[in-house]
Amino acid sequence: MRTVQILGASSRYEVPASVRGLNHRQTILVIGLRHLIGSHSFSLGFTEDIDYYSSEDISLLIGWQFLG
């Protein structure tokens, strides 16, 4: 299974304009994969900050789940 999302949000906090990153809207691209092998589910995800200085820049998400 493959997933692509674009997440958006208003600014996190109201702060002076000189404080960069907290007073901007956020737009984050999320790409993920999930693969099932027997009763095991493996997932891999990647996020990228589309708007400069609005949120975390890059994240790597790795997961494993036993579906027993």
Side-chain angles (χ1 to χ4, degrees), residues 9-26 49 51-56:
S10 60
S11 59
R12 293 181 184 185
Y13 307 100
E14 288 188 33
V15 295
S18 62
V19 180
R20 296 172 48 168
L22 296 178
N23 59 350
H24 294 88
R25 65 180 165 81
Q26 302 173 47
D49 176 13
D51 290 332
Y52 192 63
Y53 277 123
S54 65
S55 64
E56 56 279 341

